[in-house]
């Protein structure tokens, strides 16, 4: 935002500081100055009136003008395209000095002497590029116009943060300067001539959340013109003067930060303003002459039926003010920041008005802006304002009250600030303060929509950050450590990498139909939700690898999934593993991955994490083969602790069209339960006594899980391990049974076992398994 120091001086007495020091103080107070531009004086620039315009005798693109100024007539040569008889223009006579420092001299152009120069706004350093000379509205009683243009001047380009909409107007910046330099902020004249009939408009709102407040005033304007000072200030702020009615609304927007809009009242015969969302298929032509297609994201000002303005963005062409406009409807409103932002983005249209509304302006500012505009209309355009106001303001906000603990200020800032100084700072910022002993109770003004918590930062920046002494930290530095969750996740990654698996990284955004948690504002089709499983992402990586010519993959991913549990959104770290195609194991021929390989990965991960009491059981997973799948559970059958994952072979439907059609084996484990269940490392001495081994072939009914057999064997206290090394069905095995052969290791920690003790242990195992229908194969 560009701010003129001459304009600021109208509201506050500026300190007698150099520009560099002023910039430093402003920046330290949170008003970062990005650029400083010095405008020099305009000495010898006067008002001139063009008496005649004729072609140049020796140049097609030049014209000769007779210009009257100060009772004398001067001949000037100019190539500007907008020269017209009767126009008032700024005229630089020989000897005049322009703001750029250039001196004007009489010159001869193609045989015709030019006694000076007709100036554009660019020549006066008021804009970067002009399309012609500056046509002025007329004389203002002063031949020398340098002072009317407020030259010399200094322009500051300020970077206004998004949380400070009160600084998007010159008066708001003046308020900050008054607080910063302990000087008085001058008030604004809000008086205006009111009379005639009462306003006969009505205002309605479709949704007060979109438009918290709307004020309309009916105004009759006379002949008038934009004051030269106003025009110069508009130029300095980066805007061009257009029409007196519009110039005043733009001027007040730059002054107060409140956008306003003027409609030609005669073009709204319904006498009704209705604020609503656009309907699908609606269109309107805006002031820039563009026919725009509207969507429900766009908020409209309508006359009850047709749209007449894009709320908070731009007016409509059908109700535009013109040279003949004498009846005006003045809009001063407050709109939802989110609604204006969405509408602006949907239309691809950003304006000075939308920039301000997107920053969360106070609804109270609308009335101030309306009254200030009416004041200028009355002062410069001879306007009369109809009695009363048409307004919709269903829910006026209460002023926020914040408690400020006095002792907390020193704790945060590291410096003692006197109570009187704290109170003075807050009051200069427009904050009402009540002393309640240990605390100040601060009532925040409506224009400070950013203040919500203890306002210590306000005290710090006005007190001066440079006055707060720098001190090294008093807390001893300690070496940082990873969060335990992150450390565990990293350990799982290292284990999987050590097993020869390659890590995959897949997107967390998925299509809505596969997600439990949907996004409110998805950025692209197919990314409407957050993944609830790692499965689909790993399938896509397998597909891409086989499409690229791979004949086998062994992948893992450690990532986060998003679930809904009991109405709440839960984030959970998970491990996913995918095996498909050839194993690439040396000396194993063209071996392909099988469920045994997947089970081996699971066992290896659990062993490395020292997680015991994990078993396989039933699982409801329709994406897995019905006979080659299992759920992974923590705890024993007698003391279950719940499911933590699944493993198995994907069905062809779940795997999809992977080139070559390999069988895809996958597992997925929730990591938080594993982290809780992991055991501490334990030292176990080497056994001192020899082991005894027995091979045990068992006839097991088909319906009995192997895990149940293993549990029965390991329940014997003398058994050290049980290794299943053979599975047989066929001759010699009864129908409905299978033969499982185990190598069982027996050992006693304190002595050597006798053969009788081993045989007794075998008998106890067979007795324990008998209720399951298991018997010894003979």
């Amino acid at each position: 935002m560009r701010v003129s120091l001459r304009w600021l001086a109208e509201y506050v007495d500026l300190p007698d500081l150099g520009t560099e020091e002023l910039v430093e103080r402003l920046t330290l107070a949170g008003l970062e100055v990005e650029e400083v531009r010095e405008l020099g004086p305009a000495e010898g620039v006067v008002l001139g009136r063009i008496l005649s315009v004729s072609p140049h005798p020796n140049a097609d693109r030049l014209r000769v003008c007779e210009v009257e100024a100060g009772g004398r007539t001067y001949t000037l040569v100019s190539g500007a395209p907008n020269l017209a008889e009767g126009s008032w223009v700024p005229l630089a006579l020989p000897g005049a000095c322009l703001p750029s420092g250039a001196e004007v001299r009489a010159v001869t152009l193609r045989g015709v002497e030019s006694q000076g120069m007709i100036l554009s706004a660019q020549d006066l350093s008021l804009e970067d590029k002009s399309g012609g000379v500056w046509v002025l509205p007329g004389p203002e009683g002063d031949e020398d116009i340098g002072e009317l243009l407020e030259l010399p001047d200094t322009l500051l380009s300020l970077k206004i943060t998004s949380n400070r909409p009160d600084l998007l107007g010159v008066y708001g910046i003046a308020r900050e300067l008054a607080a910063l330099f302990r000087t008085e902020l001058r008030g604004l004249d809000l008086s205006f001539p009111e009379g005639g009939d009462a306003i006969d408009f009505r205002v309605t709102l479709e949704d007060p959340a979109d438009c918290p407040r709307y004020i309309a005033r009916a105004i009759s304007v006379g002949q008038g013109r934009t004051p030269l000072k106003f025009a110069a200030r508009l130029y300095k702020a980066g805007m061009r003067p257009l029409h007196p009615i519009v110039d005043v609304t733009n001027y007040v927007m730059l002054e107060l930060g409140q956008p306003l809009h003027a409609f030609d009242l005669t073009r709204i015969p319904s006498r009704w303003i209705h604020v609503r969302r656009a309907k699908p298929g609606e269109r309107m032509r805006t002031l820039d002459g563009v026919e725009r297609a509207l969507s429900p994201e766009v908020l409209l000002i309508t006359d009850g039926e047709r749209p007449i303005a894009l709320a908070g963005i731009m007016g409509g062409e059908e109700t535009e003010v013109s040279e003949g406009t004498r009846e005006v409807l003045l809009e001063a409103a407050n709109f939802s920041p989110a609604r204006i932002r969405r509408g602006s983005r949907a239309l691809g249209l950003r304006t000075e008005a939308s920039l301000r509304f997107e920053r969360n302006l106070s609804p109270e500012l609308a009335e101030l802006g309306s009254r200030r505009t009416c004041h200028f209309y009355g002062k410069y355009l001879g306007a009369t304002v109809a009695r009363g106001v048409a307004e919709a303001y269903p829910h006026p906000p209460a002023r926020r009250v914040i408690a400020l603990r006095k002792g907390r200020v020193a704790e945060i800032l590291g410096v003692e600030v006197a109570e009187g100084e704290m109170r003075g700072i807050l009051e200069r910022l427009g904050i009402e303060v009540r002393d309640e002993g240990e605390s100040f109770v601060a009532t925040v003004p409506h224009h400070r929509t950013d203040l919500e918590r203890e306002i210590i930062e306000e005290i710090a920046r006005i007190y001066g950050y440079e006055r707060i002494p720098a001190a090294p930290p008093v807390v001893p530095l300690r070496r940082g450590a990873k969060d335990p969750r992150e450390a565990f996740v990293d350990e799982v990654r290292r284990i999987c990498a050590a097993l020869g698996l390659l890590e995959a990284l897949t997107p967390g955004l998925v299509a809505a139909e596969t997600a439990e948690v949907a996004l409110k504002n998805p950025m692209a089709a197919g990314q409407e939700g957050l993944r609830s499983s790692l499965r689909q992402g790993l399938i896509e990586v397998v597909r891409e690898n086989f499409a690229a010519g791979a004949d086998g993959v062994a992948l893992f991913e450690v990532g986060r999934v998003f679930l809904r549990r009991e109405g709440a959104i839960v984030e959970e770290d998970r491990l996913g593993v995918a095996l498909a195609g050839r194993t690439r194991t040396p000396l194993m021929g063209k071996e392909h991955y099988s469920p045994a390989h997947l089970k081996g990965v699971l066992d290896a991960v659990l062993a490395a994490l020292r997680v015991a009491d994990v078993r396989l059981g039933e699982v409801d997973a329709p994406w897995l083969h019905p006979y080659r799948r299992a759920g992974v559970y923590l705890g024993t059958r007698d003391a279950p602790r719940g499911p933590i994952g699944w493993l198995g072979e994907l069905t062809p439907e779940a795997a999809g069209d992977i080139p070559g059609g390999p069988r895809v084996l996958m597992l997925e484990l929730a990591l938080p339960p594993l982290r809780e269940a992991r055991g501490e490392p334990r030292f176990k001495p080497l056994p001192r006594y020899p082991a005894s081994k027995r091979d045990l072939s068992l006839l097991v009914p088909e319906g009995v899980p192997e895990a149940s057999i293993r549990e029965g064997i390991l329940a014997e206290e003398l058994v050290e391990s049980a290794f299943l090394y053979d599975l047989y069905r066929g001759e010699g095995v009864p129908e409905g049974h299978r033969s499982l052969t185990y190598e069982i290791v027996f050992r006693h920690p304190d002595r050597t076992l006798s053969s009788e003790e081993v045989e007794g242990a075998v008998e106890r195992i067979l007795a324990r398994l008998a209720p399951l229908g298991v018997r010894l194969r003979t």
Side-chain angles (χ1 to χ4, degrees):
M1 178 177 173
R2 284 197 308 201
V3 179
S4 158
L5 292 189
R6 293 285 293 268
W7 193 353
L8 278 171
E10 182 175 315
Y11 313 116
V12 66
D13 292 327
L14 297 177
D16 187 16
L17 299 174
T19 302
E20 186 175 340
E21 186 176 353
L22 177 62
V23 166
E24 182 179 1
R25 294 288 299 276
L26 288 173
T27 301
L28 287 173
L31 292 168
E32 183 180 348
V33 180
E34 296 185 304
E35 182 185 7
V36 178
R37 183 180 175 189
E38 298 287 352
L39 303 182
E43 299 174 354
V45 177
V46 299
L47 279 171
R49 183 169 179 267
I50 298 178
L51 300 177
S52 66
V53 180
S54 58
H56 193 289
N58 302 316
D60 294 338
R61 295 187 178 182
L62 298 178
R63 287 184 284 180
V64 179
C65 303
E66 298 295 324
V67 182
E68 179 189 17
R72 292 182 57 187
T73 300
Y74 300 89
T75 300
L76 296 103
V77 178
S78 174
N82 59 334
L83 298 169
E85 294 181 5
S87 297
W88 290 89
V89 292
L91 179 65
L93 299 175
C97 184
L98 300 182
S100 63
E103 183 179 347
V104 178
R105 298 178 182 178
V107 295
T108 299
L109 299 172
R110 294 292 186 94
V112 176
E113 184 182 19
S114 182
Q115 299 172 303
M117 182 177 178
I118 303 176
L119 303 177
S120 65
Q122 179 181 349
D123 296 324
L124 291 165
S125 299
L126 296 177
E127 68 175 344
D128 295 330
K129 187 174 183 180
S130 298
V133 299
W134 186 7
V135 178
L136 302 175
E140 296 192 15
D142 193 337
E143 261 188 27
D144 192 326
I145 65 172
E147 189 56 33
L148 292 176
L149 299 178
E150 295 184 326
L151 295 172
D153 199 357
T154 300
L155 304 183
L156 304 181
S157 292
L158 301 177
K159 181 179 181 181
I160 307 300
T161 56
S162 59
N163 66 321
R164 293 297 305 272
D166 58 302
L167 298 181
L168 291 172
V170 178
Y171 194 73
I173 296 170
R175 184 188 297 113
E176 290 287 299
L177 290 173
L180 188 61
F181 296 109
R182 301 171 182 267
T183 187
E184 179 186 359
L185 176 68
R186 288 184 274 276
L188 300 173
D189 190 346
L190 303 178
S191 61
F192 57 86
E194 190 175 24
D197 296 333
I199 187 171
D200 61 347
F201 260 79
R202 64 188 176 111
V203 175
T204 56
L205 309 175
E206 179 183 68
D207 185 353
D210 287 340
C211 178
R213 189 179 194 183
Y214 193 99
I215 300 172
R217 281 189 163 93
I219 306 167
S220 298
V221 298
Q223 292 284 358
R225 62 192 182 193
T226 302
L228 197 54
K229 180 175 71 172
F230 275 33
R233 288 179 175 180
L234 290 174
Y235 270 127
K236 292 175 184 178
M239 304 182 76
R240 286 183 175 179
L242 300 170
H243 182 284
I245 294 174
V246 177
D247 292 344
V248 170
T249 60
N250 286 337
Y251 182 89
V252 174
M253 178 184 70
L254 294 172
E255 180 184 51
L256 301 178
Q258 170 66 46
L260 302 113
H261 185 68
F263 299 96
D264 188 323
L265 189 148
T266 61
R267 300 185 182 185
I268 312 177
S270 66
R271 293 296 193 269
W272 180 20
I273 291 293
H274 181 58
V275 185
R276 63 168 172 83
R277 303 264 187 98
K279 300 173 184 177
E282 275 193 297
R283 305 179 70 87
M284 73 167 290
R285 185 179 293 275
T286 46
L287 287 173
D288 54 4
V290 177
E291 181 82 14
R292 299 187 184 275
L294 309 178
S295 73
E297 292 287 353
V298 179
L299 190 65
L300 295 178
I301 310 299
T302 74
D303 63 358
E305 291 294 334
R306 60 177 181 144
I308 59 175
L310 303 175
I313 301 176
M314 184 179 286
E317 193 175 70
E318 292 186 23
T319 54
E320 180 181 8
V321 297
S322 62
E323 291 299 330
T325 299
R326 293 295 175 265
E327 300 293 325
V328 172
L329 183 74
L330 178 65
E331 167 193 288
N334 181 264
F335 301 110
S336 160
R339 177 55 47 209
I340 298 304
R341 189 178 302 113
R342 290 171 184 161
S344 177
R345 186 170 60 185
L347 294 166
L349 179 63
R350 295 202 76 196
T351 62
E352 288 289 335
S354 68
L355 170 70
R356 285 163 171 79
F357 281 123
E358 288 177 11
R359 303 292 182 90
N360 191 26
L361 296 176
S362 166
E364 294 298 308
L365 188 59
E367 172 66 9
L368 182 64
S370 179
R371 295 183 67 86
R372 184 67 164 165
T373 304
C374 290
H375 167 75
F376 287 133
Y377 279 162
K379 183 174 182 180
Y380 297 113
L381 303 183
T384 300
V385 181
R387 289 184 294 106
V389 61
E391 181 179 15
Y393 195 13
H395 307 297
R399 293 177 64 181
R400 287 189 302 280
V401 176
I402 299 174
L404 171 61
R405 294 166 289 178
K406 299 175 183 177
R408 184 71 172 157
V409 175
E411 291 179 13
I412 296 297
L413 302 185
V415 64
E416 292 286 345
V417 181
E419 289 187 19
E421 186 165 8
M422 284 193 283
R423 182 167 192 156
I425 289 172
L426 297 177
E427 289 177 342
R428 294 199 302 275
L429 289 169
I431 300 171
E432 297 176 11
V433 180
R434 186 175 72 252
D435 194 337
E436 292 196 352
E438 296 296 322
S439 300
F440 285 129
V441 176
T443 303
V444 179
H446 284 291
H447 62 266
R448 290 303 301 272
T449 56
D450 60 308
L451 299 182
E452 296 180 352
R453 300 180 182 88
E454 277 191 310
I455 45 183
I456 298 174
E457 184 179 356
E458 294 299 295
I459 293 174
R461 64 187 189 83
I462 301 300
Y463 177 79
Y465 291 119
E466 71 280 4
R467 296 172 62 188
I468 300 174
V474 295
V475 178
L477 296 177
R478 295 183 175 87
R479 187 177 65 180
K482 276 196 173 182
D483 178 83
R485 182 199 67 81
E486 294 181 356
F488 181 75
V489 165
D490 286 347
E491 183 177 355
V492 173
R493 286 195 176 97
R494 287 193 295 270
I495 292 169
C496 291
L499 291 174
L501 306 178
L502 298 179
E503 185 172 11
L505 298 175
T506 64
L509 298 175
V510 295
E513 58 268 18
T514 65
E516 294 184 20
V517 179
L519 298 178
K520 288 186 177 180
N521 298 302
M523 301 299 291
Q527 298 182 357
E528 300 89 358
L530 298 170
R531 65 185 177 188
S532 57
S533 171
L534 304 178
R535 183 179 75 252
Q536 198 57 45
L538 285 173
I539 291 174
E540 291 301 319
V541 177
V542 172
R543 179 178 294 109
E544 290 177 8
N545 274 269
F546 276 85
D551 56 6
V553 293
L555 307 170
F556 81 93
E557 179 176 13
V558 177
R560 186 163 288 192
V561 300
F562 302 83
L563 311 164
R564 286 193 178 274
R565 291 177 181 165
E566 300 179 356
I569 297 176
V570 177
E571 299 180 33
E572 184 176 80
D573 292 315
R574 286 195 180 177
L575 165 65
V577 174
L579 308 177
R582 292 176 58 183
T583 65
R584 314 298 297 181
T585 305
L587 302 179
M588 295 302 293
K590 295 184 178 181
E591 179 188 42
H592 284 62
Y593 285 110
S594 68
H597 290 98
L598 188 65
K599 177 65 164 51
V601 170
L602 173 65
D603 290 342
V605 170
L606 296 176
L609 293 175
R610 301 182 299 280
V611 176
D613 294 335
V614 173
R615 63 182 179 85
L616 302 182
E618 296 294 326
V619 65
D620 180 18
W623 59 89
L624 295 177
H625 191 289
Y627 303 121
R628 290 190 281 274
R629 68 184 183 191
V632 184
Y633 295 82
L634 272 179
T636 63
R637 293 184 182 276
D638 297 331
R641 294 169 58 184
I644 61 169
W646 52 265
L647 78 163
E649 180 182 335
L650 296 183
T651 64
E653 294 78 16
D657 55 344
I658 298 177
R663 66 193 302 195
V664 180
L665 303 152
M666 293 189 69
L667 74 81
E668 188 167 322
L669 298 176
L671 294 184
L674 292 179
R675 181 182 159 211
E676 295 176 4
R678 70 183 308 193
E680 294 296 327
R682 293 182 181 179
F683 169 74
K684 185 177 181 181
L686 293 174
R688 298 177 58 191
Y689 299 96
S692 296
K693 296 182 179 180
R694 295 288 189 276
D695 286 352
L696 202 62
S697 292
L698 304 174
L699 290 175
V700 181
E702 289 286 2
V704 177
E706 189 275 336
S708 300
I709 308 301
R710 181 177 296 275
E711 285 183 14
I713 296 173
L714 295 177
E716 168 59 43
E717 63 178 356
L718 294 180
V719 172
E720 184 178 82
S721 65
F723 174 63
L724 174 66
Y725 68 86
D726 185 59
L727 166 65
Y728 173 71
R729 293 183 181 89
E731 186 177 352
V733 175
E735 186 176 352
H737 288 70
R738 65 191 189 280
S739 172
L740 300 179
T741 302
Y742 292 87
E743 180 187 74
I744 303 175
V745 177
F746 298 90
R747 193 192 306 267
H748 195 286
D750 299 325
R751 54 187 171 81
T752 301
L753 291 174
S754 66
S755 60
E756 290 79 8
E757 288 176 308
V758 173
E759 293 299 331
V762 171
E763 293 299 328
R764 289 194 294 273
I765 291 172
L766 294 174
R768 189 176 293 110
L769 297 177
L772 300 177
V774 177
R775 66 182 187 271
L776 188 66
R777 181 184 174 193
T778 57

